[in-house]
Amino acid sequence: MTAHAGPGVVSSAAPSPFPPIEEYAYLSDCHTGALVAPDGSVDWLCVPRFDSPSIFASLLDRESGMFKFGPYGIDHPTARHYVPGTNVLETAWRTKTGWLVVRDALVLGPAAPDDTVNPHTRPPVDVDATHILVRTAEVVAGTVALQLICEPVFDYGREPATWQLLDGGRRTADATGAGLTVRLATDLTLGVEGGRVRARHTLQAGQRAFCALSWADGLLTPADPDQARAAIEQTCEFWRLWLAQARIPDHRWRDPLQRSALAIKGLTYVPTGATVAAATTSLPETPGGSRNWDYRYTWMRDSTFTLRALHLLNLDWEAEEFMQFIADVEPTEDGSLQIMYGIDGRRELPETSVDELSGYNGARPVRVGNAAYRQRQNDVYGAVLDAILLHSRRSQRLPRRLWPLVVSQADCATKAWTEPDQGIWEARGDPQHYVSSKLMCWVALDRAAKLAVLRGDGERAADWARTAEQIRADILANGVTADGVLRQHYGTDALDASTLLAAVFRFLPGDDPRLKATVDAIATGLTDNGFVLRYRTDQTDDGQTGREGTFLICSFWLVSALAIVGDLQKARDLMERLLRVRSPLGLYAEEFDAQTGRHLGNFPQAFSHLALIGAAGMIILAERLGEL
């Protein structure tokens, strides 16, 4: 493979010291997440929560912190998998002299009455994060030289750690930097080397070792390998019992549905009920380019897809927690909700660049914060109100605290639907009359009318329903090309994958020729090797430069749309292709480079997994109905 896919274009498969994005494993304790490289190095970890500054950031700069635990001199494992039904990683290594098995987990255990590390606004749960990363090693045959390297660099690679050994046995050490202290405990003998500690020990068959990194209150850690092993087993039990509550159909796609459910749960911030869009910042959408964004926040547009997936899988507790997070967030001055919020509900997400980091494979800038929080995106109202309707229909009651939100968002949609905006993709070009934005305003008023009926408010129901029909008429008059295809915005005939939402949200019936024409046009004219692009970057003023990969969520939307318009076999075929390109551990980033088979963008991506659940559910439902 050459280093460039074309003049001035960097290939995502060019030789690089950075592991491919899809080869990372994801660990979670529902407070923060860690990415583990194939060589056993934790290359990304922010503590104490998802949006905190990183302490390990080799994901974005090879000199900005890592935590390796594995065989000395071997970087490529024999096998890696999640312990079935969990977010606990197990890696098997073959060396010249033996076999080693390593398990890694962000540990969950019995919840304390009050979490002083990340205070809760939601009701406390029985099992919660212990704020400890635990790693165990066991030699199952022969002998293996085990190595530990822990080198935190605090505050996104800006401040190296200062280490202090705490006991005469050299088994415990504290690392301090940027006002934070973490504790490393192990049964190996540690040596301090500048900003890192290191240990090496040869284990015989049957022998075990452990290490643990703690940012818990009191910096508590396991005392020995038995306690470390018990902590991981306890974490496995939590994940298995949680997954057992989910309604996963007995279908050939059962495994990817389970992994997607675990990924979504692992991207949930339990203290508030929020869900992060992804666990990372600034993994590039364009190899070597500048399409790098911070996704460690909660997007309101994800709300409806989150609620649809959670209720489909019978995960009603998580749905309720997320719904209450939405009810808690502060609206803007005009009563509308922002397009995104911090996981603690904060409104201000100022965007800055971390110039000290080189970026993943040279992709700069590395961004912290997301300036798009200030954008006007008219799809937000529909996403929120569809989510409220889904949730209310589940219980056949509308919580009293949600009705004011229904009224405010319906009123905002009524005022905003005639105005241009930045669109669902947060384009940083000029505002336009995007079809999908107006479509989502239709969703807002349509769902608000149904909620008003549920509440018994006939007058509002009638008013909102009339406005919804006005929006529908406007879209069909101005948003359809001469060929009967829904256009990107009123000033162009360009295609946009977001118009597939006309099928997903039932804006048009499945037998409407305009919907069929739109689905066919996108399937043939907006794809790369069969995978769907958001739009053609040479036809859209998004304020950025460079190409981007296909968007996995858009491909899953096409699966759903094909099923809705009756092309069930085409939907199955595309679904099977999408399942074949998931990562070796069953995860998805935001984008897929159809030319090289590599994943692009932040990882793992909640939107991709939510869309997988929705698309699979659509096909499974059609198949089951066909059996009647």
Side-chain angles (χ1 to χ4, degrees):
M1 179 66 67
T2 59
H4 292 82
V9 179
V10 178
S11 169
S12 63
S16 168
F18 291 83
I21 291 169
E22 67 273 11
E23 291 189 6
Y24 277 98
Y26 178 61
L27 310 178
S28 173
D29 61 5
C30 300
H31 284 235
T32 191
L35 294 187
V36 187
D39 67 357
S41 172
V42 177
D43 282 358
W44 182 253
L45 177 63
C46 301
V47 298
R49 63 189 206 181
F50 290 106
D51 59 351
S52 299
S54 64
I55 64 171
F56 303 125
S58 287
L59 179 72
L60 299 176
D61 188 305
R62 303 311 282 168
E63 296 183 352
S64 292
M66 51 86 77
F67 181 16
K68 188 171 183 178
F69 190 58
Y72 178 77
I74 303 290
D75 288 334
H76 300 283
T78 301
R80 302 167 83 215
H81 67 270
Y82 284 112
V83 176
T86 79
N87 281 320
V88 174
L89 178 67
E90 184 171 282
T91 305
W93 304 83
R94 184 184 70 83
T95 72
K96 293 180 180 179
T97 57
W99 286 82
L100 179 73
V101 175
V102 174
R103 279 190 171 187
D104 299 324
L106 282 165
V107 172
L108 294 117
D114 291 298
D115 189 333
T116 58
V117 176
N118 293 320
H120 289 54
T121 58
R122 301 277 76 82
V125 290
D126 297 328
V127 180
D128 204 352
T130 64
H131 310 298
I132 307 172
L133 171 61
V134 174
R135 318 187 73 180
T136 64
E138 181 176 1
V139 174
V140 296
T143 63
V144 175
L146 179 68
Q147 177 179 238
L148 181 157
I149 304 173
C150 187
E151 186 176 11
V153 186
F154 296 90
D155 192 22
Y156 301 110
R158 294 185 177 106
E159 187 169 334
T162 299
W163 284 96
Q164 180 182 6
L165 290 167
L166 298 186
D167 57 27
R170 304 172 69 89
R171 303 294 176 87
T172 307
D174 284 356
T176 301
L180 178 69
T181 297
V182 295
R183 176 166 296 170
L184 177 69
T186 180
D187 56 346
L188 306 180
T189 303
L190 297 171
V192 177
E193 300 173 340
R196 70 176 183 172
V197 296
R198 193 160 61 98
R200 181 181 173 188
H201 181 64
T202 298
L203 299 178
Q204 309 294 323
Q207 291 185 326
R208 303 196 306 267
F210 86 101
C211 62
L213 191 73
S214 173
W215 51 97
D217 186 20
L219 301 178
L220 300 176
T221 62
D224 54 44
D226 288 337
Q227 287 190 14
R229 187 175 187 177
I232 289 183
E233 287 301 327
Q234 184 174 257
T235 303
C236 289
E237 181 181 16
F238 165 82
W239 287 114
R240 287 174 179 144
L241 290 175
W242 177 83
L243 188 60
Q245 301 172 39
R247 177 178 57 195
I248 308 291
D250 186 17
H251 189 273
R252 64 187 180 278
W253 297 335
R254 183 180 179 89
D255 181 64
L257 281 168
Q258 290 184 156
R259 181 48 51 195
S260 290
L262 287 162
I264 296 302
K265 178 65 172 178
L267 291 167
T268 299
Y269 184 61
V270 162
T272 64
T275 299
V276 292
T280 58
T281 180
S282 301
L283 287 178
E285 299 170 11
T286 299
S290 61
R291 294 176 182 264
N292 319 316
W293 316 109
D294 192 347
Y295 274 16
R296 298 171 298 158
Y297 308 112
T298 298
W299 267 253
M300 289 296 101
R301 86 162 55 91
D302 293 7
S303 59
T304 181
F305 299 101
T306 302
L307 266 293
R308 285 171 179 243
L310 291 175
H311 282 314
L312 179 66
L313 299 180
N314 210 37
L315 298 170
D316 294 340
W317 178 268
E318 284 72 19
E320 175 68 21
E321 298 292 272
F322 186 70
M323 200 74 257
Q324 295 307 318
F325 170 78
I326 292 176
D328 282 345
V329 297
E330 180 186 352
T332 64
E333 289 70 20
D334 66 1
S336 63
L337 296 184
Q338 293 182 176
I339 69 166
M340 70 178 83
Y341 289 85
I343 56 176
D344 56 0
R346 73 188 188 280
R347 289 178 55 188
E348 299 292 322
L349 305 172
E351 183 178 301
T352 59
S353 296
V354 184
D355 296 333
E356 291 83 354
L357 296 178
S358 67
Y360 177 88
N361 209 19
R364 301 181 75 183
V366 171
R367 292 181 168 94
V368 171
N370 197 312
Y373 81 93
R374 295 176 174 171
Q375 285 187 356
R376 183 181 191 88
Q377 293 179 24
N378 294 337
D379 65 299
V380 170
Y381 318 117
V384 171
L385 292 181
D386 188 70
I388 293 175
L389 179 63
L390 286 168
H391 195 58
S392 299
R393 280 180 168 171
R394 185 76 167 190
S395 62
Q396 284 302 301
R397 67 179 70 242
L398 176 63
R400 185 182 185 91
R401 72 190 303 245
L402 291 180
W403 178 247
L405 186 61
V406 173
V407 174
S408 64
Q409 298 317 290
D411 288 347
C412 287
T414 300
K415 297 172 184 175
W417 77 266
T418 59
E419 300 297 323
D421 72 338
Q422 305 304 137
I424 189 173
W425 306 126
E426 297 163 14
R428 299 196 176 190
D430 293 334
Q432 301 289 346
H433 289 279
Y434 287 100
V435 167
S436 63
S437 295
K438 296 185 186 300
L439 186 155
M440 292 305 292
C441 285
W442 171 83
V443 170
L445 275 301
D446 178 79
R447 277 35 170 193
K450 292 178 170 65
L451 285 162
V453 170
L454 183 63
R455 191 173 187 267
D457 191 333
E459 183 177 350
R460 276 199 172 103
D463 287 344
W464 289 338
R466 281 193 294 272
T467 305
E469 285 308 306
Q470 291 175 10
I471 300 172
R472 182 199 294 273
D474 190 77
I475 293 172
L476 296 180
N478 301 298
V480 182
T481 70
D483 296 326
V485 175
L486 290 170
R487 48 171 53 109
Q488 182 186 59
H489 61 75
Y490 285 5
T492 182
D493 281 352
L495 296 170
D496 192 304
S498 64
T499 58
L500 292 169
L501 296 176
V504 174
F505 288 102
R506 309 296 175 143
F507 175 74
L508 294 171
D511 59 358
D512 191 292
R514 291 163 295 192
L515 185 61
K516 182 68 164 61
T518 300
V519 173
D520 288 344
I522 289 172
T524 57
L526 196 59
T527 55
D528 184 357
N529 286 340
F531 298 98
V532 182
L533 299 159
R534 292 192 298 179
Y535 46 75
R536 298 283 178 188
T537 54
D538 59 349
Q539 298 176 357
T540 300
D541 177 20
D542 61 7
Q544 299 294 310
T545 59
R547 65 182 180 88
E548 61 184 18
T550 64
F551 261 63
L552 288 160
I553 187 173
C554 298
S555 295
F556 284 119
W557 284 349
L558 181 57
V559 171
S560 296
L562 286 166
I564 289 167
V565 300
D567 288 336
L568 194 57
Q569 190 54 51
K570 288 183 180 179
R572 290 192 194 99
D573 291 345
L574 179 54
M575 187 73 183
E576 293 288 353
R577 290 195 68 196
L578 285 162
L579 293 177
R580 284 197 296 272
V581 304
R582 56 188 168 146
S583 83
L585 291 168
L587 301 173
Y588 291 90
E590 183 175 31
E591 299 184 21
F592 178 70
D593 188 338
Q595 304 303 314
T596 64
R598 293 287 176 84
H599 287 220
L600 298 170
N602 286 307
F603 182 83
Q605 179 81 8
F607 226 168
S608 299
H609 287 278
L610 292 168
L612 182 155
I613 293 168
M618 193 76 69
I619 293 176
I620 292 170
L621 178 62
E623 290 177 347
R624 296 288 160 86
L625 290 175
E627 295 170 359
L628 299 178

